[in-house]
Structure formats: C-alpha cells, structure tokens
Amino acid sequence: MHRFADKPGQAQAAQETEARHERGTPGSRDEEYLLTEGEALLAATLALMTGFGHGCCTAHKAAMASRVAEQLALLARPAGGADRSPDMRAFLLRLCQRWQQAAQEQAAASRAAAIQALAGTSGPASLPFSVLWHEPLETLQ
C-alpha cells in the first residue's frame, strides 16, 4: 500500500497510518486515506454517483444529482497544480451537463409523485425512479 503526500508532514502521517493498518491496532480504519483536495473532491463525487446509481430514495435523488454536477464543474476548473488537459475539462463539463439534466428530471419526477400522492391517485409516475445502471455489487463479484 503506497501513499503519496504533497507536504513533509503528510508523508510522516501517511507512514504512521500505514503502520497502524499493518499492525491492526485499535482505532485503525479499513478505508483511511490521505488525499489532496482534488483527489478528495473526485472521491466524494464518485461516492455520490455510486449512491445515486444504487437507488437512494426519490426525495434525495435530485439533490444528489445536483451536487454531482456542482462537483464535476469544480473538477473541470483549473486549480493549483491539478491542471487538467483541455480534453479532460471538456469531458468533465459534458458530464456536468448530463448530471444537471438528471437533477432536473429527478426534481420533475419528485414533484409529479408528490402531486399524485396529494391527489390520492396512483400510476406510473408515482412509482419510484430507481433504475440501476448495473447490478448491485454483491452480484457482480
């Protein structure tokens, strides 16, 4: 397990964390990482995408998709030493637009479901939108 650090203090902290993991000492965590700001933003974005893809409740899907779009826009901006190629920035911005569209669609579906619930009717629009892009992880492994 290798970790990369930008500052001397981070390198020492990374070595101590790795030593705790190897010893299995109490307080060590299975998933503890030292990440740069850009890497942390990317990790958070991927986690939100995963949560969205695994079908969280309809009430939160629009907010999650909106947050993914915001974070993709942040990733597309040149920042410090994390300059991305023009192609990567264009890719991230296109992805951002798709997630903005997904957020709008989810918000509209949520409003339609709320209106139908208030009206006491049932139909296809009242069903939760939870189409997965792939099978849950348990079945892929």
Side-chain angles (χ1 to χ4, degrees):
M1 181 181 332
H2 297 284
R3 290 186 174 84
F4 299 95
D6 291 336
K7 299 175 185 170
Q10 286 181 332
Q12 182 179 359
Q15 289 172 348
E16 291 171 3
T17 301
E18 191 169 325
R20 275 198 319 264
H21 283 288
E22 289 173 2
R23 289 191 308 263
T25 58
S28 67
R29 298 183 184 129
D30 289 341
E31 293 189 30
E32 184 176 320
Y33 306 99
L34 293 175
L35 304 172
T36 64
E37 184 178 340
E39 291 170 338
L41 181 60
L42 178 59
T45 304
L46 293 172
L48 280 171
M49 289 174 162
T50 302
F52 182 93
H54 278 278
C56 75
C57 66
T58 306
H60 295 110
K61 278 193 163 244
M64 288 180 76
S66 179
R67 184 65 181 160
V68 168
E70 290 172 16
Q71 290 186 200
L72 287 168
L74 287 173
L75 284 167
R77 290 191 333 212
D83 281 337
R84 288 163 185 80
S85 69
D87 284 342
M88 183 61 174
R89 284 197 308 272
F91 169 74
L92 289 168
L93 289 173
R94 279 193 308 272
L95 209 57
C96 174
Q97 291 171 347
R98 290 180 182 174
W99 279 94
Q100 286 171 338
Q101 182 180 357
Q104 292 169 353
E105 290 170 0
Q106 288 298 317
S110 182
R111 283 191 301 272
I115 289 170
Q116 281 195 336
L118 288 174
T121 61
S122 62
S126 64
L127 296 174
F129 182 83
S130 61
V131 176
L132 295 179
W133 296 322
H134 55 79
E135 293 298 317
L137 290 177
E138 301 84 44
T139 60
L140 288 176
Q141 295 181 9

